[in-house]
Amino acid sequence: MKRIISICPSNTEMLHFLGLREEVCGLDDFSDWPHTWQHLPRVGPDLDIDIDKVKALRPDLVIASLSVPGMEKNIAQLKQAEIPTLVLNPKTLKDIAEDFVYLGDALGIPSQGRAAKQRFLQEISLIQAAIPRQTTTPRLYFEWWPKPVFTPGRKSWLTELCQLVGATNIYADHDAESVQTDWGDVAARQPDYVLVTWTGVPRERIKTTFFTSRPAWQGTPLIEKGNIHILEEGWFCRPSPRLLLGVKQVAHLLYPDRFRAPEEGDPYQDTRLRP
């Protein structure tokens, strides 16, 4: 049985959805899901892994990811220590599906990898089929960070998420994964919904008043419509199947008559309203 260490939250979630259990022997400090793995030894924050702690766990393989900016430092240290490392770098929903196959092959469980890919893609198709046809396209603004303001661009999986639910990302005109902007420009683009997912910040620490008090937003539809929603960061900022919970959350906000609000847990749970 292989001994595997994950050094970022999205990888930890991918391993869980592959059906691994006893093989995972260590995690980074920020892997907070699944709850059943919180007892596992920790090897430091995802941007500053403690190589000595990694060595002490005697891993057969460490799973890293370039989806975390700054992960290159860890990868270089692991290579220097001659610790076998597999590096993921998903950019799209399709990449996440293919990473299941990549991981499954690398870990000697190819059938589980292919099954996980199929389940993920099938769920996306089911969600898409439940989105109603409409004459207008909701305009969404995702906020990754407030000061300076960062939001996803065209190359982000959140732009795909918008398309999947029949909406548009107001910064999809920027050919980048992430865009630095400002509150005034956001207001000028007139989004219908403000969706807040500050990276690494728990939902309960973010207050709606942080947004309604912004000078550049006073007297604009951003405040008048009241469509400011603080969402679970782990459902939007990590390339794993938990993004499906994020898709269903946005679908619920846009089409509450078609989708129930999802709850933490299995992202494959049926959140559509039954006839």
Side-chain angles (χ1 to χ4, degrees):
M1 182 174 68
K2 289 183 179 294
R3 293 176 57 81
I4 304 165
I5 294 176
S6 166
I7 58 173
C8 80
S10 60
N11 287 351
T12 302
E13 294 164 14
M14 291 288 285
L15 294 172
H16 174 78
F17 288 112
L18 267 176
L20 300 183
R21 296 295 182 269
E22 302 300 325
E23 298 89 343
V24 180
C25 65
L27 304 174
D28 67 282
D29 289 359
F30 297 134
S31 285
D32 55 4
W33 196 93
H35 302 305
T36 53
W37 288 8
Q38 296 310 296
H39 66 286
L40 291 173
R42 303 293 174 148
V43 296
D46 57 5
L47 293 183
D48 192 20
I49 295 299
D50 188 322
I51 296 298
D52 289 333
K53 289 183 177 179
V54 172
K55 289 179 179 178
L57 292 173
R58 299 176 289 104
D60 298 302
L61 188 65
V62 174
I63 314 293
S65 178
L66 291 174
S67 66
V68 178
M71 182 63 69
E72 294 85 353
K73 172 188 171 183
N74 292 328
I75 294 169
Q77 289 182 320
L78 291 163
K79 183 177 181 179
Q80 184 177 9
E82 299 183 342
I83 298 172
T85 305
L86 186 150
V87 182
L88 304 180
N89 191 20
K91 305 292 186 183
T92 66
L93 297 176
K94 182 180 178 181
D95 289 344
I96 295 170
E98 293 300 333
D99 277 347
F100 274 130
V101 176
Y102 182 39
L103 281 168
D105 289 347
L107 299 173
I109 50 172
S111 61
Q112 288 173 236
R114 283 159 178 75
K117 171 186 174 180
Q118 182 63 28
R119 189 183 188 198
F120 181 68
L121 293 177
Q122 182 179 30
E123 187 68 14
I124 289 174
S125 295
L126 290 172
I127 295 170
Q128 197 163 30
I131 300 298
R133 295 181 181 275
Q134 52 194 356
T135 56
T136 60
T137 302
R139 294 169 52 78
L140 311 185
Y141 164 64
F142 279 95
E143 185 165 293
W144 269 340
W145 200 249
K147 245 183 178 181
V149 179
F150 278 97
T151 184
R154 180 184 303 152
K155 293 183 177 179
S156 168
W157 55 73
L158 290 185
T159 295
E160 280 190 277
L161 183 155
C162 292
Q163 295 167 346
L164 181 58
V165 298
T168 186
N169 170 11
I170 64 168
Y171 281 92
D173 58 326
H174 287 257
D175 191 29
E177 293 177 41
S178 184
V179 179
Q180 183 174 344
T181 183
D182 58 64
W183 297 338
D185 190 67
V186 172
R189 289 174 181 254
Q190 299 183 336
D192 298 308
Y193 293 82
V194 173
L195 307 177
V196 182
T197 57
W198 289 356
T199 305
V201 180
R203 178 181 180 183
E204 58 271 16
R205 287 177 53 189
I206 308 173
K207 308 301 180 186
T208 303
T209 53
F210 295 171
F211 308 92
T212 56
S213 62
R214 289 177 175 177
W217 290 13
Q218 300 307 306
T220 71
L222 287 175
I223 295 176
E224 292 169 1
K225 289 182 179 180
N227 282 332
I228 299 173
H229 302 276
I230 301 166
L231 307 177
E232 293 290 345
E233 180 263 356
W235 293 3
F236 295 89
C237 299
R238 303 176 186 178
S240 89
R242 290 179 78 218
L243 281 175
L244 296 173
L245 291 169
V247 174
K248 294 175 181 181
Q249 178 66 61
V250 176
H252 167 68
L253 294 175
L254 300 181
Y255 320 109
D257 58 330
R258 295 245 181 158
F259 290 84
R260 293 190 296 268
E263 298 178 357
E264 185 61 270
D266 181 3
Y268 299 101
Q269 62 185 307
D270 186 4
T271 52
R272 290 168 294 164
L273 291 178
R274 301 182 186 277

